[in-house]
């Protein structure tokens, strides 16, 4: 079968220069024409075109099991494989032709000539759109590694003979192809389960794997009515392409191709939702479901192909484009949409030269470059572990805790976890549990969204232009943002990036159509929910902003949309309720700023009111100085919300000061200078490359901790300042402390619950140790499952004099900048009466079933099952079931889940409303 097959030349040069190697006359070559029946199409026109060929086939066959009868002189066969099996050995080629195709009279001659001249095993025709004179449909195609076709043709491209050269291609369409009979028989014909384009791809790949050559012959022209389907979409085509790759690739390629195909489909589906196309996700689901159902026949086809395989997968790779065709296409569409979103003047709809002549384009680029510089260390090396910038935990466990599972912070609490646990866990899940890239990506995206969002919000307040995007830099790196960053409030920085979008969603003209109105409600709901997840106290800010704008009267406002969108804040309600009085009277962190910086801000606001827009300047001034003032007298949760509002105000003030004017006055020049000074001061936050966050003190410093695979233990961290510890901390005698698991701090354990009996007992134990009242601190800490006591060296003068005299802790002097002591007498968090530990399983614990009680060193309550019994500040459960779990209050769980449902409904509404815009 392979004696006349010629492997592909070592390079991909134009094969038109290949010299003739076979001197036989084409008329000596026997060809059978096989016309495949297309549903709903009379094949007579195609049969007539075959009969009129100036190179006459030996015989004509009609392929279609359900076709009733056949014209005189035409043999009816059930499928191509059955037809080939009955052909005489003297037949050398089979010309497969769709029943909705009309070849020119010389089409077959051209195929035979070029196939013989280049010793090709498979040759395809140039396809032209039926009903036109010269519109191209296909001249052979490349693929990506997932089988997605890439023709390189533009929609409606005219044939100007620009592709008229015989060349090797990845595959040719099954609409018109000439294939060697012996090879087609060895390959068992075309796959009848596949759609048209996928069928051609499948056969082409099998031919190439068998050592054959696949070429396209542009001089063979065929008009295609496309009644069989164009093949550029639909789940059947997609299923066939995947099946073709599953057949062709060797196992080592499938090991990486299949996971990447799943991930690519997921990304493509999510990105397409942003473009208003919801059908893609179900299409991928059907694709994989169909292939799972047809897996036995796919395996059988692989075995058949293995018997004739001559080359490896690298021969297929030679004709594939890099990356994913689908992701490249959807990425291009998203970039166009984003450019339009950046500049509401529809920048992207202009000519390319006009895009780059737009001042807004350069403002966006300059601002985004500054963002990249400002977060460069985070993006290259990851976030520091400090304050609220904590690693993401196991995504499934975190989602359970977000939806009502036990909060493991400190000694444990029934209080709700911080709502940022939900979106960060979802992102980590989408990133296939790669927490560090997920954290870095979220930071970069949030800062970029902050820059763009300030520009969008400023445009809604009639102060748009390139200066507004520079205002985004001041918002993300200015005085209020720097204050939050210094305290390690990473979640608040993410909130600043999202807040302008929620505020912009509630101002602007009222949508004209009902569909657009509902879409605006949906997007406002999603934006507010996203903001609430990272800064829960911002839940009411968009509504207050809409009411304030409506009171001013100059700018259009959407208070009703803002009121409805507030439902999206339900995701943060359980957390806010659990914080209680701490929202207003908790211990605030220090809000500081150089008096000169505050003075420059005040001058900028005043000049912006005079030279830019007095209403917009006034709004910005109230946001800045109202936020900075009130932030000094409230608890940290409300404090970070007020500083986020002030940060957005700084961005708006700078945008108003730099507002483009037809003519420049002295006041406008002064406003621009003042704005420039504010921008320069803000750039100071860019220098460290960590977005202003403190340096990492714990991520690498805690790597010495050994994690007991049998159970769960804890570490007690000590610092002279609360912002140096990971997550929220509690005050001790002259220092601050925080209890964490030895697996390391995670974002779902970021916030401590209200103090209870266990926290009071722990504080008493720490005070006993700090005052030197005991020489055995290990015994004092053992009931709390504390194995490690770790202090920053800055606390040495408080800790060392006491611990140097102790008797039951081992010093661990090998960690730089830390004082480390190990308690070898510690008992795990969950342990039986006889000392057998239970491991952590999700949000609960599990171990070998026992008739003993299992002690849990947690500040639990009666909702721990089975059979919780209080013992001092801790408690025990029955060990007979081999596990224990916590059942959270139903009201909290229902509230969170209701918020999630509302957000999803808002997303659907937003996509639907956006797709209905014209």
């Amino acid at each position: 079968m392979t004696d006349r097959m010629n492997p592909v030349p070592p390079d991909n040069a134009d094969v038109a220069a290949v010299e003739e190697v076979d001197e036989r006359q084409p008329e000596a070559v026997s060809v059978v024409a096989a016309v495949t029946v297309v549903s709903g199409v009379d094949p007579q026109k195609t049969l007539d075109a075959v009969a009129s060929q100036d190179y006459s086939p030996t015989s004509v066959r009609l392929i279609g099991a359900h076709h009733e009868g056949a014209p005189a002189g035409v043999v009816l066969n059930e499928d191509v494989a059955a037809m080939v099996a009955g052909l005489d050995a003297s037949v050398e080629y089979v010309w497969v032709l769709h029943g909705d195709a009309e070849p020119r009279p010389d089409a077959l001659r051209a195929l035979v000539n070029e196939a013989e001249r280049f010793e090709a095993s498979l040759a395809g025709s140039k396809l032209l759109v039926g009903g036109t004179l010269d519109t191209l449909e296909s001249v052979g195609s490349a693929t990506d590694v997932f089988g997605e076709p890439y023709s390189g043709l533009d929609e409606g491209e005219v044939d100007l003979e620009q592709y008229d050269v015989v060349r090797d291609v990845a595959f040719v369409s099954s609409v018109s192809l000439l294939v060697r009979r012996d090879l087609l028989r060895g390959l068992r014909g075309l796959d009848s389960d596949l759609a048209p384009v996928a069928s051609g791809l499948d056969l082409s790949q099998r031919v190439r794997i068998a050592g054959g050559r696949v070429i396209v012959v542009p001089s063979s022209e065929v008009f295609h009515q496309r009644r069989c389907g164009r093949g550029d979409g639909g789940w059947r085509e997609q299923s066939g392409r995947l099946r073709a790759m599953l057949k062709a690739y060797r196992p080592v390629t499938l090991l990486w191709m299949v996971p990447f195909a799943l991930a690519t489909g997921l990304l493509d589906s999510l990105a397409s939702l942003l473009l208003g196309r919801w059908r893609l996700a179900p299409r991928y689901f059907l694709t994989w479901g169909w292939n799972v159902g047809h897996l036995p026949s796919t395996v059988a086809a692989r075995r058949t192909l293995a018997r004739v395989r001559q080359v490896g997968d690298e021969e297929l790779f030679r004709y594939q484009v890099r990356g994913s065709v689908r992701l490249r296409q959807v990425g291009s569409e998203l970039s166009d949409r984003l450019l339009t979103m950046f500049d509401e003047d529809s920048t992207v709809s202009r000519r390319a030269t006009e895009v780059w002549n737009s001042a807004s384009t350069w403002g966006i680029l300059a601002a985004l470059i500054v963002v990249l510089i400002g977060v460069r260390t985070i993006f290259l090396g990851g976030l520091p572990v400090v304050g609220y910038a904590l690693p993401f935990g196991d995504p499934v466990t975190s989602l359970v805790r977000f939806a009502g599972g036990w909060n493991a912070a400190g000694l444990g609490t029934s209080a709700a976890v911080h709502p940022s646990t939900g979106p960060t866990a979802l992102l980590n899940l989408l990133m296939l549990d790669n927490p560090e890239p997920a954290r870095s990506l979220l930071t970069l995206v949030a800062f970029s969204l902050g820059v763009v969002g300030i520009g969008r919000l400023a445009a809604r307040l009639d102060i748009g232009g390139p200066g507004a995007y520079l205002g985004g830099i001041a918002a993300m790196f200015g005085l209020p943002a720097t204050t939050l960053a210094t305290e390690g409030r990473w979640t608040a920085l993410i909130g600043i990036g999202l807040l302008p979008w929620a505020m912009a969603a509630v101002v602007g003209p009222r949508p004209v159509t009902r569909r657009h109105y509902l879409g605006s409600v949906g997007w406002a709901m999603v934006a507010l929910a996203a903001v609430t997840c990272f800064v829960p106290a911002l839940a009411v800010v968009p509504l207050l902003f809409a009411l304030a704008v409506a009171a001013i009267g100059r700018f259009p406002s959407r208070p009703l949309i803002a009121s409805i969108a507030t439902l999206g804040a339900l995701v943060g309600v359980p957390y806010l309720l659990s914080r209680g009085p701490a929202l207003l009277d908790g211990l605030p962190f220090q809000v500081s700023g150089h008096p000169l910086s505050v003075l420059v801000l005040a001058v900028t606001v005043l000049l912006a009111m005079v030279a830019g827009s007095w209403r917009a300047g006034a709004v910005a001034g109230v946001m800045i100085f109202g936020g900075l003032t009130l932030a000094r007298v409230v608890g940290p949760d409300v404090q970070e919300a007020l500083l986020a509002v002030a940060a957005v105000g700084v961005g708006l003030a700078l945008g108003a000061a730099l507002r483009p004017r037809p003519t420049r006055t002295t006041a406008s020049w002064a406003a621009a200078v003042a704005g420039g000074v504010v921008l320069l001061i803000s750039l100071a936050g860019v220098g460290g490359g960590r977005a202003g966050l403190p340096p990492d003190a714990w991520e690498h410093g805690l790597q010495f901790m050994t994690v007991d695979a049998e159970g769960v233990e804890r570490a007690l961290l000590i610092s002279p300042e609360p912002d140096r510890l990971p997550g929220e901390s509690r005050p001790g005698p002259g220092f601050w402390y925080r209890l964490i698991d030895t697996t390391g701090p995670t974002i779902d354990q970021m916030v401590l619950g209200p103090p209870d009996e266990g926290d009071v007992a722990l504080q008493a134990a720490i005070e006993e140790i700090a005052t030197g009242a005991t020489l055995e601190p290990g015994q004092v800490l053992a009931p709390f499952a504390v194995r490690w006591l770790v202090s920053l060296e800055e606390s040495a003068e408080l800790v060392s004099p006491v611990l140097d005299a102790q008797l039951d802790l081992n010093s661990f002097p090998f960690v730089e900048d830390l004082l480390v002591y190990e308690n070898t007498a510690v008992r795990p968090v969950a342990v039986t009466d006889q000392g057998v530990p239970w491991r952590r399983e999700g949000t609960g614990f599990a171990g070998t079933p026992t008739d003993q009680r299992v002690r849990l060193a947690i500040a639990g309550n009666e909702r721990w099952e089975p059979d919780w019994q209080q013992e001092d500040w801790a408690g025990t459960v029955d060990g007979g079931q081999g596990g224990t779990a916590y059942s959270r209050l139903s009201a909290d769980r229902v509230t969170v889940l209701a918020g999630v449902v509302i957000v999803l409904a808002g997303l659907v509404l937003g996509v639907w409303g956006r797709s209905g815009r014209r």
Side-chain angles (χ1 to χ4, degrees):
M1 178 177 66
T2 60
D3 56 337
R4 295 190 55 203
M5 294 181 193
N6 204 34
V8 179
D11 55 41
N12 234 354
D14 181 4
V15 298
V18 179
E19 297 181 356
E20 289 192 21
V21 294
D22 194 335
E23 298 181 355
R24 294 189 306 162
Q25 296 296 319
E27 285 76 4
V29 179
S30 176
V31 180
V32 168
V35 178
T36 59
V37 174
V38 174
S39 178
V41 178
D42 187 353
Q44 189 58 52
K45 196 172 183 180
T46 304
L47 294 172
D48 292 341
V50 171
S52 64
Q53 290 293 303
D54 58 17
Y55 185 96
S56 299
T58 304
S59 66
V60 180
R61 305 297 178 96
L62 193 61
I63 310 299
H66 303 292
H67 189 74
E68 297 180 0
V74 177
V75 180
L76 182 64
N77 290 106
E78 182 176 350
D79 55 35
V80 173
M83 178 205 71
V84 174
L87 290 179
D88 187 84
S90 62
V91 176
E92 295 194 45
Y93 289 104
V94 175
W95 183 25
V96 179
L97 197 64
H98 278 203
D100 60 346
E102 186 177 356
R104 290 188 185 274
D106 61 348
L108 179 56
R109 179 180 294 276
L111 284 175
V112 175
N113 281 342
E114 302 302 342
E116 285 288 294
R117 188 156 71 99
F118 296 112
E119 295 189 341
S121 300
L122 179 62
S125 301
K126 176 203 292 183
L127 300 184
L128 301 168
V129 178
T132 70
L133 296 176
D134 51 9
T135 302
L136 288 168
E137 178 183 333
S138 175
V139 280
S141 294
T143 70
D144 62 12
V145 72
F146 310 113
E148 189 73 29
Y150 177 74
S151 67
L153 298 177
D154 295 326
E155 184 69 24
E157 184 170 347
V158 175
D159 180 19
L160 300 176
E161 300 183 356
Q162 65 270 42
Y163 301 106
D164 279 8
V165 58
V166 179
R167 68 188 190 283
D168 292 282
V169 292
F171 79 96
V172 293
S173 174
S174 62
V175 172
S176 173
L177 56 84
L178 185 76
V179 60
R180 293 193 55 82
R181 178 202 56 83
D182 52 358
L183 182 56
L184 188 60
R185 180 173 181 176
L187 295 175
R188 306 290 175 86
L190 278 75
D191 192 332
S192 59
D193 290 330
L194 303 188
V197 172
S199 177
L201 168 63
D202 173 62
L203 180 62
S204 299
Q205 291 200 144
R206 288 186 287 145
V207 166
R208 194 176 296 284
I209 286 173
R213 188 175 192 174
V214 180
I215 64 173
V216 64
V217 181
S219 56
S220 173
E221 296 182 348
V222 175
F223 288 95
H224 184 212
Q225 300 299 325
R226 302 197 287 190
R227 298 288 298 278
C228 61
R230 294 180 58 185
D232 56 355
W235 72 271
R236 290 301 302 267
E237 276 290 353
Q238 195 165 292
S239 300
R241 294 196 291 267
L242 179 59
R243 176 176 165 94
M245 311 318 280
L246 293 176
K247 285 185 190 179
Y249 287 143
R250 282 179 166 166
V252 67
T253 303
L254 290 177
L255 282 176
W256 62 264
M257 190 278 287
V258 170
F260 272 103
L262 288 167
T264 299
L266 179 62
L267 291 174
D268 188 21
S269 301
L270 292 174
S272 295
L273 279 178
L274 300 177
L275 296 170
R277 295 197 295 262
W278 61 269
R279 294 182 178 87
L280 208 57
R283 184 184 298 172
Y284 277 110
F285 181 79
L286 289 171
T287 293
W288 285 98
W290 186 90
N291 274 280
V292 169
H294 287 74
L295 194 58
S297 62
T298 301
V299 173
R302 285 181 58 85
R303 291 172 179 166
T304 300
L305 187 57
R307 291 195 288 267
V308 297
R309 180 182 285 271
Q310 300 291 321
V311 297
D313 294 346
E314 60 277 2
E315 195 62 35
L316 300 178
F317 298 155
R318 293 180 59 191
Y319 301 94
Q320 293 175 353
V321 296
R322 293 185 177 182
S324 167
V325 171
R326 284 293 313 160
L327 291 185
R328 188 180 305 167
Q329 291 171 346
V330 76
S332 177
E333 292 184 64
L334 281 175
S335 64
D336 286 350
R337 292 280 183 91
L338 286 173
L339 282 174
T340 304
M341 185 169 57
F342 293 166
D343 186 355
E344 292 191 332
D345 292 333
S346 298
T347 300
V348 76
S349 65
R350 309 173 195 165
R351 298 192 307 270
T353 54
E354 292 177 333
V355 171
W356 295 110
N357 286 333
S358 168
S360 293
T361 300
W362 291 104
I364 294 167
L365 290 176
L368 292 180
I369 288 172
V370 173
V371 166
L372 285 173
I373 296 173
V375 300
R376 63 188 183 279
T377 303
I378 292 174
F379 199 69
L380 295 176
L383 275 166
V385 176
V386 62
Y388 282 19
L390 299 185
F392 299 166
D394 173 68
V396 176
T397 301
S398 296
L399 286 173
V400 171
R401 286 175 175 164
F402 172 69
W406 178 252
N407 184 343
L411 289 172
T413 175
S414 60
V417 298
H418 194 279
S420 62
T421 301
T424 55
L426 183 60
L427 175 62
N428 192 20
L429 189 65
L430 294 176
M431 295 283 287
L432 306 180
D433 197 10
N434 287 295
E436 283 310 308
R439 288 206 303 162
S440 301
L441 178 63
L442 179 57
T443 306
L444 177 63
V445 169
F447 272 71
S448 301
L449 285 176
V451 167
V452 177
I454 291 293
R456 189 172 184 83
L457 179 59
R460 297 285 175 91
L461 299 178
D462 294 336
I463 52 174
Y469 299 106
L470 300 180
I473 297 174
M476 301 308 302
F477 297 98
L479 173 61
T482 300
T483 301
L484 291 167
T486 302
E487 295 293 327
R489 297 275 171 160
W490 172 76
T491 51
L493 297 179
I494 304 299
I496 294 175
L498 299 173
L499 181 58
W501 294 92
M503 297 172 73
V506 299
V507 295
R510 188 180 188 278
V512 178
T513 66
R514 180 177 297 179
R515 181 169 182 173
H516 187 193
Y517 187 89
L518 293 175
S520 298
V521 170
W523 284 123
M525 199 177 295
V526 171
L528 180 58
V531 170
T532 304
C533 280
F534 290 95
V535 187
L538 285 174
V540 297
V541 167
L543 176 59
L544 295 176
F545 182 71
L547 294 174
V549 170
I552 292 174
R554 171 64 176 81
F555 311 112
S557 179
R558 303 172 177 176
L560 181 57
I561 289 179
S563 301
I564 300 173
T566 305
L567 291 173
L570 278 177
V571 292
V573 168
Y575 171 80
L576 292 172
L577 292 177
S578 69
R579 299 295 280 177
L583 284 174
L584 296 176
D585 58 9
L587 185 64
F589 50 82
Q590 183 178 5
V591 179
S592 60
H594 196 282
L596 183 59
S597 300
V598 178
L599 177 61
V600 171
L601 271 177
V603 171
T604 302
V605 170
L606 290 174
L607 290 173
M609 293 174 64
V610 173
S613 167
W614 75 265
R615 291 182 177 86
V619 170
V622 171
M623 292 173 66
I624 295 171
F625 297 105
L628 289 175
T629 302
L630 294 176
R632 300 174 185 272
V633 296
V634 294
D637 288 287
V638 178
Q639 190 178 22
E640 67 177 11
L642 291 168
L643 288 174
V645 171
V648 174
V650 171
L652 292 178
L654 187 56
L658 300 179
R659 180 187 183 187
R661 307 291 294 180
T663 57
R664 282 289 183 182
T665 63
T666 301
S668 64
W669 280 112
V673 171
V677 174
V678 171
L679 182 61
L680 287 175
I681 294 174
S682 302
L683 290 177
V686 175
R690 295 189 304 271
L693 291 168
D696 192 342
W698 300 104
E699 181 179 22
H700 301 296
L702 296 179
Q703 290 182 350
F704 67 88
M705 291 193 305
T706 57
V707 180
D708 190 345
E710 296 292 328
V712 181
E713 298 169 343
R714 297 189 176 114
L716 181 66
L717 309 183
I718 294 175
S719 168
E721 299 170 349
D723 57 282
R724 300 287 302 279
L725 289 168
E728 198 172 36
S729 55
R730 301 198 190 277
F735 53 81
W736 295 76
Y737 66 90
R738 171 66 198 258
L739 206 62
I740 66 169
D741 289 347
T742 52
T743 53
T746 53
I747 197 168
D748 55 321
Q749 302 178 42
M750 180 172 64
V751 178
L752 298 171
D756 55 20
E757 293 182 9
D759 296 295
V760 172
L762 177 62
Q763 187 170 26
I766 292 174
E767 289 179 352
E768 179 183 356
I769 295 171
T771 57
T774 178
L775 296 180
E776 296 181 329
Q779 293 296 325
V780 175
L781 294 175
F784 303 94
V786 175
R787 179 174 183 177
W788 300 96
L789 193 154
V790 186
S791 170
L792 293 176
E793 284 193 344
E794 290 90 332
S795 303
E797 59 184 23
L798 297 172
V799 177
S800 295
V802 175
L803 295 183
D804 286 347
Q806 56 81 31
L807 301 176
D808 62 351
L809 295 180
N810 294 331
S811 177
F812 198 79
F814 307 112
V815 183
E816 186 178 359
D817 299 329
L818 295 177
L819 302 177
V820 181
Y821 299 87
E822 182 181 12
N823 181 13
T824 57
V826 67
R827 299 183 74 189
V829 172
V831 63
T832 66
D833 293 338
Q834 294 185 355
V836 178
W838 275 16
R839 65 189 180 277
R840 173 162 287 159
E841 187 173 275
T843 58
F845 301 89
T848 304
T850 176
D851 57 0
Q852 305 174 37
R853 303 288 298 178
V854 178
R855 181 181 187 272
L856 302 181
I858 58 175
N861 59 37
E862 67 279 1
R863 289 190 173 272
W864 277 93
E865 299 173 346
D867 189 24
W868 169 268
Q869 294 181 11
Q870 192 79 23
E871 285 190 4
D872 196 12
W873 61 269
T876 65
V877 294
D878 183 4
Q881 296 183 15
T884 178
Y886 172 76
S887 175
R888 187 168 171 181
L889 290 172
S890 58
D892 288 349
R893 183 186 295 272
V894 169
T895 303
V896 171
L897 294 180
V900 172
V901 170
I902 288 173
V903 172
L904 293 176
L907 182 61
V908 172
L909 274 179
V911 172
W912 177 72
R914 182 78 181 181
S915 63
R917 295 179 63 179
R918 295 291 184 267

